[in-house]
Amino acid sequence: MEISALTRSVVKRNHAIISPDGYINSRVPGWENCTVNVIINEQMGANLCQTLITMTEKGELTGTTQLSQLFFYVIQGQVSATVDGETRKLSQGQFVYIPIEKSYRFEHPETSTQLLSFHKVYEKLNGYDVPPVLFGDAATIEGPTYLGDPALRLQVLLPDTLSFDMAVNIFTYDPGGHLPFVETHIMEHGLIYLQGQGVYMLDQEWYPIKKGDSIWMAPYCQQWFTAMGKEPAVYIYYKNVNRFPTVV
Ligand code: UGY
Ligand code: MN
């Protein structure tokens, strides 16, 4: 018998694991006929927001970005997305980046379409334009090996230019593959597992992780991961990048 008083979720000062067993739904104005789980946001101490949206067949998301840019990725299903007047059908693995001050509308989903969103307040950079709307497909993006290890592959979904102040990458680890060292860095992460399982080390604590789990890592949260099981472990993650690191 399962004991309902147990969970793998933890929320700490500089990291969190949110497994789906603890979800409580939010109602978000403009996002109708869908279930919204706000997984990471500033209430935790984070500088990003990450949500998971599960749409019924009447589901619709409408809005206009303001100070924050938005990134949507289709985890499963299919939906029509109109951003700044351009309409595309998005299916599993496809995504759209919405810069500040643009209108968007997602409609006509297949039932149970699941979308991931990352939100970040956009920091303009003198001499660089605000990025344009960008539609993309992870299936067409190469995944070169990470730091020379063939067990690790990294796909970079957004262009590597200084206009962008956020990166979204997909990291694939073959079983037994692991980060080559413990990362200790200023950048923050939000992520969700798309496949597989493994063990994450966050600030010297060890956590079993699997498909559907999300993680928040604050700046300087120490991090290391190894994949276990019989299939690759895959997560999609956010990272803040490309801006001056200090006000001092
Ligand atoms: O880009 C990164 O910092 C990445 N290697 N971190 C991570 O996957 N935890
Ligand atoms: Mn990292």
Side-chain angles (χ1 to χ4, degrees):
M1 185 178 64
E2 286 188 18
I3 297 179
S4 66
L6 295 176
T7 181
R8 288 181 301 104
S9 297
V10 294
V11 181
K12 303 233 177 177
R13 187 194 63 80
N14 74 349
H15 65 272
I17 293 169
I18 305 294
S19 69
D21 57 17
Y23 286 170
I24 292 288
N25 304 336
S26 291
R27 180 137 191 222
V28 176
W31 295 7
E32 299 299 340
N33 297 310
C34 51
T35 302
V36 181
N37 299 113
V38 181
I39 289 170
I40 298 170
N41 86 347
E42 59 272 29
Q43 307 296 330
M44 271 175 164
N47 293 302
L48 75 138
C49 176
Q50 175 179 326
T51 81
L52 182 66
I53 303 146
T54 308
M55 305 178 88
T56 68
E57 64 187 13
K58 291 193 175 135
E60 277 184 9
L61 313 181
T62 50
T64 302
T65 54
Q66 295 176 14
L67 296 177
S68 286
Q69 58 207 316
L70 250 164
F71 177 94
F72 285 100
Y73 176 90
V74 182
I75 293 180
Q76 67 178 39
Q78 192 178 66
V79 65
S80 165
T82 302
V83 180
D84 200 26
E86 184 180 353
T87 301
R88 301 263 188 114
K89 267 225 151 59
L90 295 182
S91 53
Q92 188 175 338
Q94 297 183 321
F95 59 86
V96 60
Y97 167 84
I98 308 175
I100 52 172
E101 297 169 6
K102 299 288 180 207
S103 63
Y104 64 86
R105 182 175 182 83
F106 291 74
E107 58 195 337
H108 312 309
E110 278 175 4
T111 303
S112 302
T113 291
Q114 259 192 342
L115 301 177
L116 162 73
S117 71
F118 290 122
H119 313 224
K120 179 189 182 293
V121 173
Y122 182 66
E123 297 164 65
K124 287 186 179 162
L125 186 63
N126 280 344
Y128 289 85
D129 291 335
V130 174
V133 175
L134 188 97
F135 287 92
D137 183 354
T140 66
I141 294 176
E142 281 184 34
T145 58
Y146 184 67
L147 298 181
D149 183 344
L152 309 178
R153 276 143 348 251
L154 191 72
Q155 293 171 280
V156 176
L157 304 190
L158 294 177
D160 182 17
T161 79
L162 288 176
S163 288
F164 284 88
D165 68 351
M166 67 187 262
V168 180
N169 304 333
I170 296 179
F171 211 156
T172 299
Y173 297 67
D174 287 337
H178 54 83
L179 282 175
F181 52 86
V182 175
E183 294 182 11
T184 306
H185 58 62
I186 188 174
M187 297 77 97
E188 186 174 10
H189 294 313
L191 66 79
I192 187 165
Y193 273 78
L194 302 173
Q195 182 183 297
Q197 60 175 284
V199 175
Y200 232 110
M201 188 282 283
L202 298 168
D203 244 18
Q204 311 297 340
E205 298 196 59
W206 299 82
Y207 300 102
I209 298 291
K210 64 174 187 176
K211 177 180 175 181
D213 292 344
S214 293
I215 301 180
W216 169 57
M217 297 173 220
Y220 294 105
C221 173
Q222 292 187 290
Q223 53 204 257
W224 181 88
F225 175 70
T226 189
M228 304 186 318
K230 300 208 178 335
E231 60 175 352
V234 182
Y235 58 79
I236 179 169
Y237 72 99
Y238 157 99
K239 182 173 182 174
N240 55 307
V241 292
N242 293 342
R243 290 298 180 267
F244 203 72
T246 178
V247 290
V248 177

